[in-house]
Amino acid sequence: VQLQASGGGLAQAGASLRLSCAGSGRTFSRYSIAWFRQAPGKERQFVAAIRASGGYTYYTDSVKGRFTISRDNAKNTVYLQMNSLKPEDTAVYYCAADSSVILSQVSRTHAYNYWGQGTQVTVSS
């Protein structure tokens, strides 16, 4: 599967952005999708994930209540709605996919074999 992330940009603190991760292929619905982010000089960090069925979602603590991950399998797209943005949310955001992610590994970068190119999110104070 090939992934294309989009929707990043410059936003003020408190504003909202919605990221999209568009996937190719007829089997997109079979893949768990995750969002990770990487700030300059820092390791890539898990943000959120959604299972293939869309019934289960997972978030890192720092975004719970502010970010929402969802998917539209008919459009081969996963979304990350980001509300109440903070300057510390500034990073390059990557979407990742894999068809065999187990629950205990959902936040691990090595659990995903397919990655998009990243989209920059910059939040000013």
Side-chain angles (χ1 to χ4, degrees):
V1 64
Q2 292 183 322
L3 304 173
Q4 179 78 29
S6 63
L10 177 63
Q12 289 190 331
S16 298
L17 285 173
R18 188 177 78 160
L19 304 184
S20 298
C21 177
S24 63
R26 293 177 294 174
T27 61
F28 181 82
S29 62
R30 300 179 186 175
Y31 287 80
S32 293
I33 307 294
W35 286 97
F36 290 80
R37 65 187 179 187
Q38 189 165 18
K42 295 188 176 181
E43 293 186 351
R44 195 165 294 188
Q45 175 193 34
F46 172 76
V47 177
I50 187 165
R51 302 290 272 182
S53 65
Y56 296 94
T57 57
Y58 312 91
Y59 300 91
T60 192
D61 286 346
S62 62
V63 308
K64 285 180 181 177
R66 299 189 299 122
F67 291 11
T68 302
I69 189 170
S70 62
R71 68 190 300 158
D72 185 341
N73 285 334
K75 296 182 178 180
N76 279 9
T77 302
V78 168
Y79 304 98
L80 184 68
Q81 178 67 43
M82 305 188 296
N83 299 329
S84 302
L85 283 164
K86 302 177 180 180
E88 51 263 44
D89 294 320
T90 295
V92 177
Y93 283 70
Y94 299 89
C95 58
D98 204 274
S99 60
S100 58
V101 180
I102 60 175
L103 180 57
S104 64
Q105 300 296 311
V106 72
S107 64
R108 306 293 186 176
T109 56
H110 67 251
Y112 301 87
N113 283 311
Y114 304 96
W115 290 81
Q117 85 290 1
T119 184
Q120 176 71 47
V121 172
T122 302
V123 183
S124 62
S125 58

